[in-house]
Amino acid sequence: MNKQMRAVFTILDYSRYEEAAEMFENEGVPVRFAMHGHGAADSDILDYLGFGENKKSIMISLLTAARADKVIVTAAKKLQLDKPGKGIVFSVPISSMTVFLSGLLDLDEQKHSTEADKESEIEMSYQYSHELIVTIITKGFFPEVKTAANQAGARGGTLIHALGLGGEEAQKFLGISIQPEKDIILIVVNREDRNKVMKAIADAAGINTQGKGIIFSMPVDAAFGLSESNIIDEIYKKPDEIE
């Protein structure tokens, strides 16, 4: 797969689901998934960030890099994600996908490209200043992850209930029985905080604990709505627009 692809995550209050779904529909995003989760920040942090409710909507969209850039900016503006407490949107690189899916996303990009886009592509400068930490643990051990991550400097996260589908080989390799009910915690942190947050989670609920947690991270190449980044980033301006 030569063309860069992105997975765009949008997380906001559950009451804003219809608003976000309509926005993505209007943008013609061809592949998107929706699920529900819960905020993983303490109540005082939720109040600080301005989140009005704990129940969250999580939407994942698959797009080419060029389309993802534009959709993220549109989401940030139309859903007001450049303001504190409105939610977050971020993207992570995809290393590979099936030929069918890649072709579908290529067609989507062609459909939504204008002549101006073809003549002048928006230049992106991915600094990978943030990381998405994904923790998959046995259901019921979320409090341990939440406490450890917060003490290590994480500002919050999102909890999703899921099912484990590991086969016999995975169970043999990990040396554990993969239980069907799992908790998935998504936490976006500054890159410099990644290691200490992951270590804290591993110590509290890692593979050698009762939580049997599996922890990994992915680079976030663009993000809006984080408390330390509440404006449209300079990377989305064309070179001649940067002062």
Side-chain angles (χ1 to χ4, degrees):
M1 184 180 67
N2 295 324
K3 182 169 290 187
Q4 291 182 327
M5 302 292 180
R6 299 282 185 269
V8 177
F9 290 73
T10 307
I11 303 174
L12 31 65
D13 283 347
Y14 179 75
S15 59
R16 303 191 69 198
Y17 169 74
E18 294 294 340
E19 179 186 0
E22 182 179 1
M23 189 279 297
F24 282 109
E25 180 70 26
N26 292 338
E27 288 300 307
V29 176
V31 182
R32 57 188 187 275
F33 309 93
M35 63 199 81
H36 303 310
H38 300 274
D42 290 328
S43 58
D44 57 341
I45 296 178
L46 287 171
D47 291 340
Y48 173 77
L49 295 177
F51 286 115
E53 57 187 89
N54 189 265
K55 191 174 182 181
K56 302 298 176 185
S57 285
I58 303 103
M59 282 159 278
I60 303 175
S61 310
L62 304 182
L63 295 159
T64 63
R67 277 277 281 152
D69 297 342
K70 297 173 185 176
V71 169
I72 286 175
V73 172
T74 299
K77 292 179 178 178
K78 292 189 175 181
L79 300 176
Q80 298 182 310
L81 302 184
D82 53 337
K83 298 179 180 179
K86 295 296 185 179
I88 65 173
V89 58
F90 60 90
S91 63
V92 298
I94 296 176
S95 61
S96 185
M97 63 174 55
T98 62
V99 173
F100 171 81
L101 184 55
S102 176
L104 176 63
L105 300 187
D106 280 339
L107 288 174
D108 169 67
E109 180 181 311
Q110 294 173 20
K111 178 181 178 181
H112 291 88
S113 294
T114 64
E115 289 302 320
D117 293 331
K118 296 175 182 178
E119 292 177 2
S120 178
E121 292 290 333
I122 296 178
E123 293 187 13
M124 303 296 291
S125 177
Y126 296 115
Q127 301 297 321
Y128 297 130
S129 60
H130 293 80
E131 293 265 343
L132 171 64
I133 298 175
V134 181
T135 304
I136 304 172
I137 56 170
T138 302
K139 185 177 180 180
F141 286 87
F142 164 66
E144 285 83 348
V145 174
K146 174 182 175 181
T147 299
N150 287 348
Q151 290 178 348
R155 302 294 296 275
T158 302
L159 166 67
I160 304 170
H161 297 303
L163 297 177
L165 300 175
E168 293 183 2
E169 289 301 318
Q171 295 184 31
K172 186 184 301 183
F173 175 77
L174 294 173
I176 60 173
S177 175
I178 298 181
Q179 301 299 320
E181 292 186 301
K182 295 290 181 182
D183 281 341
I184 300 175
I185 301 99
L186 307 178
I187 302 173
V188 179
V189 298
N190 288 324
R191 189 173 186 180
E192 58 266 26
D193 294 331
R194 177 195 59 194
N195 290 344
K196 67 177 180 179
V197 172
M198 291 183 70
K199 183 180 186 303
I201 294 173
D203 290 343
I207 199 70
N208 294 318
T209 71
Q210 290 184 325
K212 302 299 181 186
I214 299 171
I215 308 141
F216 58 93
S217 69
M218 297 177 282
V220 172
D221 53 27
F224 296 118
L226 301 176
S227 58
E228 65 269 25
S229 179
N230 295 321
I231 59 173
I232 300 295
D233 290 338
E234 292 292 327
I235 60 173
Y236 289 100
K237 293 182 180 180
K238 294 181 180 180
D240 58 355
E241 295 176 340
I242 298 177
E243 297 180 357

